[in-house]
Amino acid sequence: QVQVVESGGGLVQAGGSLRLSCAASGSIFSINDMGWYRQTPGKQRELVASITSGGSTNYADSVKGRFAISRDNAKNTVYLQMNRLKPEDTAVYYCNAFCRSRLGDYVSAWGQGTQVTVSS
């Protein structure tokens, strides 16, 4: 019903920047919350940033002041601007969208992830 695709990951040096994009598509009536999560091997997936349908944002303490989440409702897309990247930001970043589908049910959709690697 709903598909989520991330893009924009890559390899950067510490202090550099990347912008991740997440596009939701399919049988979508509306998108409520959207969020970015990250995970490294042996670690639990953690919330990096989230944004509500009203534009309210929330960030993990480790990324406050460096990352910025935004959304383009017309494109069903959420972005994560990552600045002043640190090696500890290295992870697979996943996008999540909590949506109401055209069928009327609510769906929590996950993307396949995009790798972000920050070298020292």
Side-chain angles (χ1 to χ4, degrees):
Q1 295 179 205
V2 179
Q3 297 81 43
V4 175
V5 179
E6 305 99 333
S7 62
L11 173 63
V12 298
Q13 291 187 337
S17 298
L18 284 173
R19 190 181 78 158
L20 305 183
S21 298
C22 170
S25 62
S27 184
I28 300 172
F29 178 77
S30 63
I31 302 178
N32 295 322
D33 296 350
M34 301 187 78
W36 287 97
Y37 297 73
R38 65 187 181 187
Q39 188 171 26
T40 56
K43 302 289 186 179
Q44 293 184 348
R45 189 172 299 184
E46 64 174 350
L47 176 68
V48 177
S50 63
I51 185 167
T52 69
S53 60
S56 179
T57 59
N58 185 61
Y59 298 92
D61 288 341
S62 60
V63 306
K64 285 182 179 178
R66 298 189 297 119
F67 291 10
I69 189 171
S70 61
R71 62 192 290 171
D72 185 337
N73 292 330
K75 297 180 179 180
N76 287 338
T77 299
V78 64
Y79 305 94
L80 184 67
Q81 179 66 46
M82 304 185 293
N83 299 320
R84 303 193 305 279
L85 283 161
K86 303 175 181 179
E88 51 262 45
D89 295 320
T90 296
V92 177
Y93 284 70
Y94 297 89
C95 179
N96 175 261
F98 184 67
C99 313
R100 186 187 180 193
S101 75
R102 292 285 182 179
L103 299 177
D105 56 329
Y106 289 87
V107 179
S108 180
W110 289 91
Q112 292 299 115
T114 185
Q115 176 71 46
V116 172
T117 302
V118 184
S119 62
S120 60

